[in-house]
Amino acid sequence: MVRDYNNRHALEQKLRSAPTPPAADHLMVGHWRTIATVLARTGQEEAVRQAIASVPELSLRFSGPGEWLVVSEVEAPSGLMRHLEELCGGRAYVVDQSDGRAVFRLAGPNARSILAKGIGLDLHPAVFALGGSANVLCGHIPVNLARTDENAFELIVARSYAESLFDDLMRMGRAFDLTAAFSD
Amino acid sequence: MASLITCPHCGVRPKEEFAIRGDASRGRPEPMDSDEAWHDYVYVRANPRGRTFEHWHHIAGCRRFLVVERDTATHEVYSVVDAVEFLQRAER
Ligand SMILES: [Zn+2]
């Protein structure tokens, strides 16, 4: 028997309703985003970090010592894998996570107040600097949090937790009339 | 979130992000050591009061094992290092 498998976004069921106009605080769900984990071999941590950081289209998210999530908005998963293999040249292990993770982008003047309801990290602009990233707990869900703009944050979460995290974030943002929609 | 641990890789984090494994000061017995030695290692726990070394797994952060030196009565934290560095220091 031949089966067709369709790629379905983890939030397709949740975000079906007609999009409402975005409020000041808005949660954007990246439709398809290319993500990979990179784990450097012992002693190659700095070389790998520099090689990937030298490419402006690739965003490095700190995950642990010698370990990152690499996010690309322009490349397809296979292209990113090839690109990373070239850059790291046997100095790191690269695994595609594009179908395994979901990306949320929370932006707005109250983004910090919303996140502070579930995240025990100092989010003050002077402490969590632009371009900073960290693995943290949001409520009971492990996420990778990154500051991507003045008042914008990206959360990367395991696909199976995406619906729960979405519900939690919407509840955390209810006092600020947080809205949500797919990005494209 | 009163109990804060300063992870050498991640910075100041609440204890909710960690799993505590327990005493970091006892060595693992050799594979062929007596059953009693292994039984003690696996099952028997002291419940010390005062300054101790413990393995804390930063499970929701960098996922590294850390060694936290703290007072079990006051929760004063004296030092936090990666478990690999703790081992290297012990061997020196
Ligand atoms: Zn850590």
Side-chain angles (χ1 to χ4, degrees), chain A residues 154-165:
Chain A
E154 276 192 7
L155 296 94
I156 301 177
V157 65
R159 182 191 172 94
S160 52
Y161 285 132
E163 285 193 58
S164 301
L165 182 68

Side-chain angles (χ1 to χ4, degrees), chain A residues 122-138:
Chain A
D122 194 343
L123 296 171
H124 190 279
V127 181
F128 196 52
L130 199 59
S133 53
N135 277 358
V136 292
L137 265 190
C138 182

Side-chain angles (χ1 to χ4, degrees), chain B residues 7-24:
Chain B
C7 172
H9 309 296
C10 305
V12 180
R13 295 302 182 88
K15 71 152 179 18
E16 282 74 11
E17 291 190 359
F18 297 84
I20 308 170
R21 181 185 164 273
D23 194 354

Side-chain angles (χ1 to χ4, degrees), chain B residues 7-11 18 58 61-64 66:
Chain B
C7 172
H9 309 296
C10 305
F18 297 84
H58 196 186
C62 56
R63 291 152 1 269
R64 297 286 298 179
L66 311 175

